Amino acid sequence: MATNNIEGLLADTLSSDANRRMSAELKLSAVLQHQGSSEAGLTLSQLALAQDADMSIRQISLSIVLRKYVTERWSPYFPSFRGNSPSVEVKSQIRHAVFQGLSDSNRKIRSLSARTLSSIASCDWPDEYPDLLTSLIQLISSNSPDAVHGSMQVLTDFMKSDLTEDQILPVLRQLLPVLLAILGAPHQHMPLTRARTVSVFRQCVTALYMVKGQHPEAVKEATSTILPVWLDAFRVLLNLDPAQDLSNQENWDGLSVRIQIFKTLDTIHTSFPRAMVTYLPDYLNAALHHLQVIYSTYNRCYITASEDAPGSSEDEVVELPHLICPIFDFLSNVIRGGKAREWLSRQTQNLGTVEEMWAANANAFVAQEEDENQTYGVRAAGFELLYTLLDRSAAQVCTILQEQLQRTIASSYVARDGGAIDWWKALEAALAVIGSHAEDILECIDDEIDSGRAKPIDIEDLLANLIPSILTQTRKAFVFASQFAKLLPLQIAGQYLEAAAQVLESNVAGIPVKLSAVKAIHNFCEGAEDSAVRPFAPRITQDLGPFLLVTTEDTLSLVLEAMSVVLEVDKGSWLSQDLANTLVIAVLEVWAKNNKDPIFLSIFTEILESLAASRANGVYETVVKQALPTLCTAIANAKPEESWIAGSAIDLVSSLVRGAPQDGLGEGFFAHLAPCLFNCLEYAEDRDVVQDCSQILSWSDPSSTSGLDHILRLVAKLLQNEDESGGLVIGDLIIHLLRRVGDSVLPVLPELLRGMTQRMLSAKTATFLQSLVIPFAFLVYNQADSVISLLESTQVQDRSALDIVIHTWCENAETFQGFWPTRISTLALSRLYASARPSLQNLTVKGDIIVKPETKNAPHEFTSIPFPVKVLKLLVRELRSDGESATIPGGGFEVDSDDGDDQWTEEEQQHQGFKEDEFAFLSEMLGPRGANFDNDDILYESDDEDLKNDPVSRINMKEHLIGFFRECATVNTNNFAANVDRLSMEEMLVIRQVVGK
């Protein structure tokens, strides 16, 4: 199609006549779909370059039509590809035309060409477009500001998304001097172009860091020659007054260079800290100076909103928060690394201005009450900086916070008396600052008092004098008081709770103040003594109840969490039957509207469990009477495609079970639940309800099928399920069944064990295999002879069931997870060894891996060893993992490093870069030689609570194994001496050492 025809269609797409515009769009779409679309794509690229064409035609050609052509017709690489890809020759011509657009005299054409070329490059480079990088460097090296502007946009995108470290390194020496020259020519190149050079340089630094391990000498040489030149340039640029960039009323493009520099400084400090050492004081001073200079502008444009920020001349967003956050990040990382002590000792006072600036971002606070859930921005970055300062110089920072707060209080009162409507913003933000770091500040106060020094900040004075006077005016006052609840005497804590309750009951208090009161109640209930909160608990619960029905999303979550912690006060002993009944109705109504939200569901279950766990007279029965029928109805009526309804209802029933008293679930609980539950479990599974087995055994459905039979059907269904992720619960379910029903399961035990054994042959995942083996381990530990006899007499696919179980057990024992499962496996294996059954002695199982250098790529081969020998190997391994670790060599060697450790203090050099108290804390967390990482009690805190109380969990496994080995050695159990001789040398030494003690 002729160029002027496409040009005419493009012009018509801009027509004000809707019919004409629609007709042109349809025709243009048909042209691009036609077999001759290659010619159309080439025509579009040429039109974009035509200097005599109308500018609007050129722009629409590039910005919409050509980019659409590339994404839909260029290559299957693009998800929206529709076929009719152009030929190699046409692609080359289009790329050439678009590349020429990077040097166009019009800025918009250059930017649009850059975007289109970036899309093409993501697909074609390097295979079909190998000379792109070289061409870009040549264009950047030209003296044309237009060409540099266009090519830098492509290169920036290119470096971020397409180039790997190995591809960047070869062009560094050619590229970086050109970039530095552009950066240093502010009169020739636009600020955004210069900012892009810094962004590309940062990618280069990251690439160097990524290959430092593979090419240490080359990287060391590169950083020693490249980094100082750039760091000098950054120092010069940051010494220029930032006020001149802010004074530009048209745009803040000049800030973009500073933004990229501080981001890059942070990257260099992280990657090559040694290169930064001599520059740090200058950079830190520059960072602080920037914050001081820009504060007034930030206040006008972002806090009081009395002025509008001008933004950027291009599509890139340039805002003050984009500069403040990298500065905060840089300061935080440097201070955290301990490389700024001397500077910090001189400048901490000046950081009060910094704290004031970011703390006063009150609009962000009003928009988001939950400080910890804020999106990352000035406020979050500022909080992180304050946390770092408190960590390094707590007392000094607290003193500054006290001084700053007193100034803020005074200025806020002056503003209030002067009639300012936003007088509260700075004060509320200051309270947010201190309150959000309450834990660290309280720790600092305690440390100073213990050391005989004065308190650096007087929180008690604030709680006694300031906060009560502004409770009804400044909503943060409630939250602040609650964050320091542990400092409040009982009487004052009661006064605050009384005030919070009054706010909830008030008809004039606004929603923000009421939500702050809810947040305060949450904190008081968590931080204050139960004796202070208990008198208010019934009243607060009644006040919170109506909020459940009228709040949504974040506010509902806040109210639910507050309700949950209130119910935990004194274990809910203050609840009345009427109040519990009202709460259950409200919670279930809210659950019905939000039963698909897992976060809400977790809180619903906590609330119902707390209600059920209350030992107040008649409360448990009231909760069950009100909740169980509703939940059973939901389980029974849930459609298969709405499985989450039944699942969440079962979760809530489980919470009732967990809160039940020790004497059982109560008469009729399971009879009411069982029909709908077992019907639902045809499609889903949940073992938490299998708790009161006496009710299960005594219940039967109208067809006389018992509860136990229904559970066995569920087990059979799980065993047949090919999706093993859905069968992970089977082991726990069977274990609970075996532990609780005792001999009642004996009539069906042979078929149950046969089904489990048969499933072992096809099971694939380690977790599912564990769920099949552990029930056997439990049975062996408790009834070894009976279970072995049963397995010996059972045949599964022409193999002895005993052979299948033992082989599966031995091959997977080392991968078992969980505190109780690993213990029951170890105990059962020792029982099997001691049984000396001939059928076990004759079994051979997989032993150690056979290492053959000439067949290292071949499938692994293993030795075959007798089962008793394998048991000893597994028991030795368990003993070693439970005992002392292998000796860690004390010697070592030093390597030259860029981590800047030469700047550590003598104290930090003695403690691997930490202060002595920090190192002691870390050592305590890890335990001796990292023992806590080998401590099952720590690693498996999520184990079933019932199993934690099982006698197996209280056995001293180390003493048991040592006693087992000594007894076997004494009586030569199962030919113990001969079996030990078949162990590895290391394993024999362990046993001989144990036996010889």
Short mmCIF file of all heavy atoms in Angstrom, two decimals, residues 463-491:
data_model
loop_
_atom_site.label_atom_id
_atom_site.label_comp_id
_atom_site.label_asym_id
_atom_site.label_seq_id
_atom_site.Cartn_x
_atom_site.Cartn_y
_atom_site.Cartn_z
N LEU A 463 2.48 10.82 79.17
CA LEU A 463 1.26 10.06 79.45
C LEU A 463 0.41 10.73 80.52
O LEU A 463 -0.83 10.63 80.50
CB LEU A 463 1.62 8.63 79.88
CG LEU A 463 2.30 7.76 78.82
CD1 LEU A 463 2.75 6.44 79.43
CD2 LEU A 463 1.37 7.50 77.65
N ALA A 464 1.07 11.40 81.45
CA ALA A 464 0.33 12.00 82.56
C ALA A 464 -0.20 13.38 82.23
O ALA A 464 -1.27 13.78 82.72
CB ALA A 464 1.23 12.08 83.80
N ASN A 465 0.49 14.15 81.38
CA ASN A 465 0.14 15.55 81.18
C ASN A 465 -0.32 15.89 79.76
O ASN A 465 -1.36 16.51 79.57
CB ASN A 465 1.33 16.45 81.57
CG ASN A 465 1.72 16.29 83.03
OD1 ASN A 465 0.86 16.35 83.91
ND2 ASN A 465 3.00 16.07 83.30
N LEU A 466 0.47 15.45 78.75
CA LEU A 466 0.12 15.84 77.38
C LEU A 466 -1.04 15.03 76.83
O LEU A 466 -2.04 15.58 76.38
CB LEU A 466 1.35 15.67 76.47
CG LEU A 466 1.05 15.83 74.97
CD1 LEU A 466 0.68 17.27 74.66
CD2 LEU A 466 2.25 15.39 74.14
N ILE A 467 -0.92 13.71 76.88
CA ILE A 467 -1.87 12.85 76.19
C ILE A 467 -3.31 13.03 76.69
O ILE A 467 -4.24 13.15 75.87
CB ILE A 467 -1.44 11.37 76.28
CG1 ILE A 467 -0.01 11.20 75.73
CG2 ILE A 467 -2.41 10.48 75.51
CD1 ILE A 467 0.16 11.65 74.31
N PRO A 468 -3.56 13.06 78.00
CA PRO A 468 -4.96 13.24 78.43
C PRO A 468 -5.60 14.52 77.92
O PRO A 468 -6.80 14.54 77.67
CB PRO A 468 -4.85 13.24 79.97
CG PRO A 468 -3.60 12.48 80.26
CD PRO A 468 -2.66 12.84 79.15
N SER A 469 -4.80 15.57 77.73
CA SER A 469 -5.36 16.85 77.31
C SER A 469 -5.73 16.88 75.84
O SER A 469 -6.45 17.78 75.40
CB SER A 469 -4.37 17.97 77.62
OG SER A 469 -3.21 17.86 76.80
N ILE A 470 -5.23 15.92 75.06
CA ILE A 470 -5.50 15.96 73.61
C ILE A 470 -6.19 14.69 73.12
O ILE A 470 -6.27 14.44 71.93
CB ILE A 470 -4.19 16.17 72.82
CG1 ILE A 470 -3.20 15.04 73.09
CG2 ILE A 470 -3.58 17.53 73.13
CD1 ILE A 470 -1.95 15.11 72.23
N LEU A 471 -6.70 13.87 74.07
CA LEU A 471 -7.30 12.60 73.68
C LEU A 471 -8.44 12.78 72.69
O LEU A 471 -8.60 12.00 71.75
CB LEU A 471 -7.81 11.85 74.92
CG LEU A 471 -6.78 11.00 75.67
CD1 LEU A 471 -7.42 10.37 76.89
CD2 LEU A 471 -6.20 9.92 74.77
N THR A 472 -9.26 13.79 72.90
CA THR A 472 -10.42 13.97 72.04
C THR A 472 -10.11 14.80 70.80
O THR A 472 -10.97 14.96 69.93
CB THR A 472 -11.55 14.66 72.82
OG1 THR A 472 -11.07 15.91 73.32
CG2 THR A 472 -12.00 13.79 73.99
N GLN A 473 -8.88 15.33 70.72
CA GLN A 473 -8.53 16.19 69.59
C GLN A 473 -7.58 15.50 68.62
O GLN A 473 -7.64 15.72 67.42
CB GLN A 473 -7.87 17.48 70.12
CG GLN A 473 -8.80 18.29 71.02
CD GLN A 473 -8.05 19.38 71.75
OE1 GLN A 473 -7.07 19.13 72.44
NE2 GLN A 473 -8.50 20.62 71.59
N THR A 474 -6.69 14.70 69.15
CA THR A 474 -5.66 14.07 68.33
C THR A 474 -5.77 12.57 68.47
O THR A 474 -5.45 12.02 69.52
CB THR A 474 -4.25 14.54 68.76
OG1 THR A 474 -4.24 15.95 68.81
CG2 THR A 474 -3.20 14.04 67.80
N ARG A 475 -6.20 11.91 67.44
CA ARG A 475 -6.50 10.48 67.51
C ARG A 475 -5.28 9.63 67.82
O ARG A 475 -5.40 8.56 68.40
CB ARG A 475 -7.16 10.03 66.22
CG ARG A 475 -6.26 10.00 65.01
CD ARG A 475 -7.08 9.88 63.73
NE ARG A 475 -6.22 9.67 62.58
CZ ARG A 475 -5.98 8.47 62.05
NH1 ARG A 475 -6.51 7.41 62.58
NH2 ARG A 475 -5.21 8.36 61.00
N LYS A 476 -4.09 10.09 67.44
CA LYS A 476 -2.90 9.30 67.69
C LYS A 476 -2.60 9.21 69.18
O LYS A 476 -1.86 8.32 69.61
CB LYS A 476 -1.71 9.92 66.95
CG LYS A 476 -0.43 9.09 67.02
CD LYS A 476 -0.61 7.72 66.42
CE LYS A 476 0.64 6.87 66.58
NZ LYS A 476 0.44 5.51 66.08
N ALA A 477 -3.20 10.11 69.98
CA ALA A 477 -2.94 10.10 71.42
C ALA A 477 -3.34 8.77 72.04
O ALA A 477 -2.64 8.24 72.91
CB ALA A 477 -3.69 11.25 72.08
N PHE A 478 -4.48 8.19 71.62
CA PHE A 478 -4.91 6.89 72.14
C PHE A 478 -3.87 5.82 71.84
O PHE A 478 -3.46 5.05 72.71
CB PHE A 478 -6.24 6.49 71.50
CG PHE A 478 -7.44 7.12 72.12
CD1 PHE A 478 -8.22 8.00 71.40
CD2 PHE A 478 -7.78 6.84 73.43
CE1 PHE A 478 -9.34 8.57 71.97
CE2 PHE A 478 -8.90 7.42 74.01
CZ PHE A 478 -9.68 8.30 73.27
N VAL A 479 -3.46 5.78 70.59
CA VAL A 479 -2.52 4.74 70.17
C VAL A 479 -1.19 4.91 70.88
O VAL A 479 -0.58 3.94 71.34
CB VAL A 479 -2.33 4.78 68.65
CG1 VAL A 479 -1.37 3.69 68.21
CG2 VAL A 479 -3.67 4.62 67.95
N PHE A 480 -0.73 6.15 71.00
CA PHE A 480 0.54 6.42 71.68
C PHE A 480 0.50 5.90 73.11
O PHE A 480 1.43 5.22 73.56
CB PHE A 480 0.82 7.92 71.66
CG PHE A 480 2.11 8.30 72.35
CD1 PHE A 480 3.31 8.29 71.65
CD2 PHE A 480 2.13 8.68 73.68
CE1 PHE A 480 4.49 8.64 72.27
CE2 PHE A 480 3.31 9.03 74.31
CZ PHE A 480 4.49 9.01 73.60
N ALA A 481 -0.57 6.21 73.83
CA ALA A 481 -0.68 5.77 75.22
C ALA A 481 -0.64 4.24 75.30
O ALA A 481 0.00 3.67 76.18
CB ALA A 481 -1.96 6.31 75.84
N SER A 482 -1.32 3.59 74.38
CA SER A 482 -1.37 2.13 74.43
C SER A 482 -0.03 1.49 74.09
O SER A 482 0.28 0.40 74.57
CB SER A 482 -2.45 1.62 73.47
OG SER A 482 -2.11 1.88 72.12
N GLN A 483 0.77 2.16 73.26
CA GLN A 483 2.07 1.61 72.90
C GLN A 483 3.03 1.61 74.07
O GLN A 483 4.00 0.86 74.09
CB GLN A 483 2.65 2.39 71.71
CG GLN A 483 1.94 2.10 70.40
CD GLN A 483 2.28 3.09 69.31
OE1 GLN A 483 2.46 4.28 69.56
NE2 GLN A 483 2.35 2.62 68.08
N PHE A 484 2.76 2.46 75.05
CA PHE A 484 3.58 2.51 76.27
C PHE A 484 2.76 2.05 77.47
O PHE A 484 2.94 2.54 78.59
CB PHE A 484 4.11 3.92 76.49
CG PHE A 484 5.12 4.35 75.46
CD1 PHE A 484 4.72 5.10 74.37
CD2 PHE A 484 6.46 3.99 75.57
CE1 PHE A 484 5.64 5.50 73.41
CE2 PHE A 484 7.37 4.36 74.60
CZ PHE A 484 6.97 5.12 73.52
N ALA A 485 1.85 1.08 77.24
CA ALA A 485 0.93 0.64 78.28
C ALA A 485 1.67 0.10 79.50
O ALA A 485 1.20 0.25 80.63
CB ALA A 485 -0.01 -0.43 77.72
N LYS A 486 2.83 -0.51 79.32
CA LYS A 486 3.54 -1.11 80.44
C LYS A 486 4.03 -0.07 81.44
O LYS A 486 4.34 -0.41 82.59
CB LYS A 486 4.71 -1.94 79.94
CG LYS A 486 5.79 -1.17 79.23
CD LYS A 486 6.94 -2.08 78.80
CE LYS A 486 7.71 -2.58 80.01
NZ LYS A 486 8.91 -3.36 79.61
N LEU A 487 4.11 1.21 81.03
CA LEU A 487 4.54 2.27 81.93
C LEU A 487 3.39 2.85 82.74
O LEU A 487 3.61 3.64 83.66
CB LEU A 487 5.21 3.41 81.14
CG LEU A 487 6.51 3.06 80.40
CD1 LEU A 487 7.03 4.29 79.68
CD2 LEU A 487 7.55 2.52 81.37
N LEU A 488 2.16 2.49 82.38
CA LEU A 488 1.00 3.10 83.01
C LEU A 488 0.66 2.37 84.32
O LEU A 488 0.51 1.15 84.33
CB LEU A 488 -0.20 3.03 82.09
CG LEU A 488 -0.15 3.90 80.82
CD1 LEU A 488 -1.31 3.54 79.92
CD2 LEU A 488 -0.19 5.37 81.18
N PRO A 489 0.52 3.13 85.41
CA PRO A 489 -0.02 2.52 86.64
C PRO A 489 -1.45 2.04 86.38
O PRO A 489 -2.12 2.49 85.45
CB PRO A 489 -0.01 3.68 87.65
CG PRO A 489 0.94 4.68 87.09
CD PRO A 489 0.86 4.54 85.59
N LEU A 490 -1.93 1.11 87.21
CA LEU A 490 -3.25 0.53 86.98
C LEU A 490 -4.33 1.60 86.90
O LEU A 490 -5.22 1.54 86.05
CB LEU A 490 -3.57 -0.46 88.11
CG LEU A 490 -2.78 -1.77 88.12
CD1 LEU A 490 -3.23 -2.65 89.28
CD2 LEU A 490 -2.96 -2.51 86.81
N GLN A 491 -4.25 2.61 87.79
CA GLN A 491 -5.28 3.62 87.82
C GLN A 491 -5.31 4.43 86.52
O GLN A 491 -6.37 4.66 85.93
CB GLN A 491 -5.07 4.56 89.01
CG GLN A 491 -6.15 5.64 89.13
CD GLN A 491 -5.92 6.54 90.33
OE1 GLN A 491 -4.97 6.35 91.08
NE2 GLN A 491 -6.79 7.52 90.50
#
